[in-house]
Structure formats: structure tokens, C-alpha cells
Amino acid sequence: MCKALIIGAGGVGTVVTQKIAADPVFTDVMLASRTKSKCDAVAAAIGGGRVKTAQVDADSVAELCELFRAFQPDIVVNVALPYQDLTIMDACLECGCNYLDTANYEPKDEAHFEYSWQWAYQDRFKAAGLTAILGCGFDPGVTAIFTAYAAKHHFDEIHYLDIVDCNAGNHGMAFATNFNPEINIREVTQKGRYFENGKWVVTEPHQIHRPLNYPGIGERESYVIYHEELESLVKNYPTIKRARFWMTFGQEYLTHLRVIQNIGMARIDPIIYNGVEIVPIQFLKAVLPDPKSLGANYHGQTSIGCRIRGIKDGKERTYYIYNNCDHETAFKETGTQAVSFTTGVPAALGASMWARGLWRGAGVFNVEEFDPDPFLAELGPQGLPWHELFDTDIEV
């Protein structure tokens, strides 16, 4: 039996807490964030006194350790901000807690993310006999587990990997982001990057794009951006010759994004306004709709998966493994939209994999390093059914 502490009470934290609270392997559950009232609202919705709540500043190792020592969690599920990954990992090491997150670390003062900062914790987690599981959302997360499943069951060598992410939903807002606006805008405005023939190729933002067809949705314009799971997948599957990540954006979204950049509201460096230091993108976050509020009016679905080419038994084959998630269905179950649901369900399931001893080890691990089978066996029943297409036109 296991005690779980979740940090972060946004849309993803709401889903994680609901799923973990419903899982009998967890004897005690706590939700903590900077704003305790948000945690209290989630706990009240679940009911039954199942979820304890607490206030914590995840930027402070001292505050985190005080909470960890009081609650004594076996595993800490980090769905706070990526800036806070390292402080939470430091606190886990100091207090003897295992760790899981959904997004890799990025510094506050630079729009840049990579796994090197967290991979550097390998020796310390190994020496402490603790497990750190990185990137257990959907992308990163399920996309890497899909790749591991393909490598285990359907390919002798994976040569070409294209991860495709389509959100064909409509929330009715002129402009809104599907998760934390500060993180979302930083991510999608960076230069593109993909892996080919042993090196990384850098492109201008949204330079490479083409229409792709998504099951149950149809054709959507898709853009190559950089996404963190590419970094670990090309490391763990060295036969890969090319790996790319595609995401769909509507023209209206891109127009708003371009205006935000052009007028300086995407800046992450501080400015002085009326004698007060502010960061423009953080101010923008404050005036944009809360992603958690979008679910009530969200219609349509997401489609995320992996399109793979490679060799099996000496013959070339193609393979497409994917999930479609309906925004309205996600909202009915959890009160959140599909982007929060598709991230939160895998995080809770990954924590359950650890709690039941199915994903264990001393050190720092990306999810594709574990057995994909028990995870994928339960992903569908948890609300994210997946589908396979063999030897079809994968378009990329």
C-alpha cells in the first residue's frame, strides 16, 4: 500500500487526484499547491475525506521537505510548473521519496528545455535507492510508451518515428491555451528541432508544416516543433534515423500568437511597469482564460499517436498507434477538458505502476525504459483507449 502526494492543483492535478483517489493501492492521498483553496475545492468534489490538502511553495526545498516529513509520502507526483522539477527532486532526495513528473525541467529565465538537468540526478537517486520517473503524461509519456510497445512487439528496428498531436476541439474563445499559458506559449514559439541521421536539425518556428489526416477528425495542418520525448527516444532506440514531433494549430491561433510575440507580450525577461517589475508573459497568463475553465464549453476531440516505419523479420512495415479523446466525455468524468485528461490519466497510472511494483528501479528513468504492457493494458479502462493500424499510409 502506498501514500501519494500530488503537487499542483490545475486541470492536470485535478485529474491525477481523482484517479489516484479512486485507486485502492493508495492508502493516503494529499494534494498540495501554492493556493490551498484550489486543493480544497478538488478534495471537496471527490468527497469522503479521501484527499488531504496542504499549502506549499514548490520553489522552496525547505517548505517541500517540511511537508514531506509531515505526510511521509512514498511517491510524489509533480504536476506543478516545469521550473519546479529540480527543487521537488531535491526535496525527494532529502526526504527519501520517489518521484514522477509529466514534463521536463526548464529554467525560468530561458525558453529552453531538455533532460540533461534531470538526467544529472541519476547517480543520486541510484545511491538513495529511489525511483524518479520522467515525462509520464501523454506527450511526453504515452507517446514514448507507444514507441516502446512498438519496439517490443512489432519491430526489430525502428527507423522513422513521427509523433503527431492534433487538438480538433473548439472551446469558443478567441484565444486560449489548453494548459498553463506561460508554459504553452514558451513551448510553441521556440525554434523547431528534429533528429535526423545522428544530429539535431534546427528550424525556424513553424517552418515545416503539411496537412495530415487524423482518425475520426480528418485533415489538419500540422507543424514540426520540438518536444522533449524525442531526446530520450533517440537515445534509447539508437536505430532511429529520423524522429519528429508534429502539432496542429489553427490559423486564428497562429495569428494571435504572432501578435503576442510582435508586441512583446511573449517576453520572459522582466520589465519595469509603474515602478514594479513584471514579466510580460506572466501578466498575459493572468488575463487569459484559465485552461481549467475551458472544459464546460469544449467540443471535439484530440488525436495523439506515433507513426512508425521500420523493419520486422527483414521486411519494411508501417505502424500507427494512437488515442482519440473527446473533450465532452473528459469533462463529464473529471470536470476538465481532454488536454488535462490525457495528461493526468497517464500520470496517475504511472504512479500506480510504481506503487504496485511494476515500474521500479533505483535511478532516473524515462517511461520507455519500463515494460509498456501492464501500463497499456490499463490505459483504455482508465479512459484512454488506443488503436493500431498496420501497414497503412502514414503520410510522413
Side-chain angles (χ1 to χ4, degrees):
M1 308 309 274
C2 179
K3 297 174 73 172
L5 171 62
I6 302 125
I7 301 177
V12 175
T14 298
V15 176
V16 172
T17 306
Q18 289 183 26
K19 289 292 186 178
I20 283 181
D23 189 336
V25 77
F26 297 102
T27 53
D28 297 271
V29 182
M30 176 177 278
L31 175 62
S33 79
R34 193 184 301 270
T35 307
K36 187 174 182 294
S37 60
K38 292 182 178 180
C39 302
D40 293 338
V42 175
I46 293 171
R50 175 70 165 127
V51 179
K52 301 178 177 69
T53 64
Q55 189 279 330
V56 72
D57 179 359
D59 290 319
S60 168
V61 174
E63 276 197 35
L64 289 163
C65 284
E66 183 178 356
L67 177 62
F68 291 2
R69 291 187 178 113
F71 183 64
Q72 297 185 328
D74 298 294
I75 188 165
V76 173
V77 180
N78 169 19
V79 286
L81 295 172
Y83 317 142
Q84 297 162 328
D85 288 0
L86 302 189
T87 52
I88 297 172
M89 292 178 79
D90 286 335
C92 284
L93 284 168
E94 188 169 328
C95 300
C97 305
N98 299 279
Y99 172 89
L100 180 145
D101 68 28
T102 62
N104 68 3
Y105 174 74
E106 61 177 285
K108 273 188 176 181
D109 58 355
E110 184 183 3
H112 175 77
F113 49 92
E114 62 181 53
Y115 277 118
S116 61
W117 289 287
Q118 291 178 278
W119 284 343
Y121 279 68
Q122 169 72 11
D123 291 343
R124 279 177 283 172
F125 269 83
K126 194 169 185 178
L130 297 170
T131 305
I133 301 172
L134 306 183
C136 195
F138 205 103
D139 47 345
V142 175
T143 51
I145 297 164
F146 280 166
T147 305
Y149 184 83
K152 179 177 179 180
H153 295 285
H154 302 309
F155 289 91
D156 297 321
E157 293 184 3
I158 292 175
H159 290 168
Y160 299 97
L161 168 66
D162 285 275
I163 297 170
V164 293
D165 182 327
C166 172
N167 181 7
N170 181 11
H171 46 58
M173 298 285 185
F175 182 82
T177 61
N178 294 297
F179 55 95
N180 183 289
E182 184 179 355
I183 303 302
N184 181 259
I185 292 171
R186 283 168 59 125
E187 176 183 305
V188 302
T189 56
Q190 290 187 52
K191 288 190 174 184
R193 189 155 66 107
Y194 64 93
F195 181 84
E196 188 166 29
N197 297 326
K199 63 181 182 180
W200 291 99
V201 180
V202 178
T203 71
E204 291 304 310
H206 313 135
Q207 177 183 338
I208 299 174
H209 59 95
R210 59 167 296 176
L212 297 175
N213 284 282
Y214 294 87
I217 293 171
E219 187 176 275
R220 292 291 188 276
E221 196 69 16
S222 306
Y223 298 78
V224 170
I225 68 170
Y226 178 66
H227 225 245
E228 61 235 60
E229 63 264 49
L230 299 181
E231 183 182 13
S232 66
L233 288 169
V234 299
K235 172 176 174 281
N236 289 318
Y237 297 97
T239 63
I240 291 177
K241 298 177 180 179
R242 187 185 66 214
R244 299 177 295 191
F245 186 99
W246 303 76
M247 183 172 281
T248 61
F249 302 108
Q251 284 306 309
E252 187 174 1
Y253 178 91
L254 291 175
T255 298
H256 277 85
L257 199 62
R258 188 163 54 251
V259 172
I260 286 168
Q261 289 179 281
N262 288 344
I263 64 175
M265 289 305 297
R267 286 174 56 175
I268 63 175
D269 55 312
I271 63 168
I272 301 299
Y273 174 73
N274 284 348
V276 178
E277 185 177 277
I278 66 167
V279 176
I281 198 171
Q282 292 177 355
F283 175 79
L284 179 66
K285 172 187 172 183
V287 299
L288 285 175
D290 181 349
K292 194 174 178 179
S293 72
L294 300 176
N297 298 307
Y298 227 136
H299 310 287
Q301 56 186 326
T302 63
S303 183
I304 310 173
C306 299
R307 304 184 186 195
I308 300 172
R309 279 191 287 151
I311 301 295
K312 178 67 174 179
D313 298 328
K315 298 178 181 179
E316 184 172 298
R317 81 174 319 174
T318 65
Y319 176 67
Y320 184 11
I321 179 171
Y322 68 94
N323 160 265
N324 278 28
C325 183
D326 183 79
H327 285 287
E328 293 179 71
T329 302
F331 183 76
K332 285 177 184 175
E333 180 178 345
T334 63
T336 68
Q337 33 89 352
V339 177
S340 296
F341 189 83
T342 56
T343 305
V345 169
L349 183 53
S352 184
M353 291 287 107
W354 181 88
R356 287 181 277 156
L358 298 170
W359 283 8
R360 289 281 179 104
V364 175
F365 301 89
N366 292 91
V367 291
E368 67 267 20
E369 297 177 81
F370 297 110
D371 185 1
D373 291 1
F375 182 98
L376 290 182
E378 297 189 32
L379 188 63
Q382 288 294 327
L384 294 174
W386 47 280
H387 313 277
E388 300 171 283
L389 298 174
F390 295 90
D391 299 319
T392 187
D393 179 12
I394 56 173
E395 301 182 301
V396 288

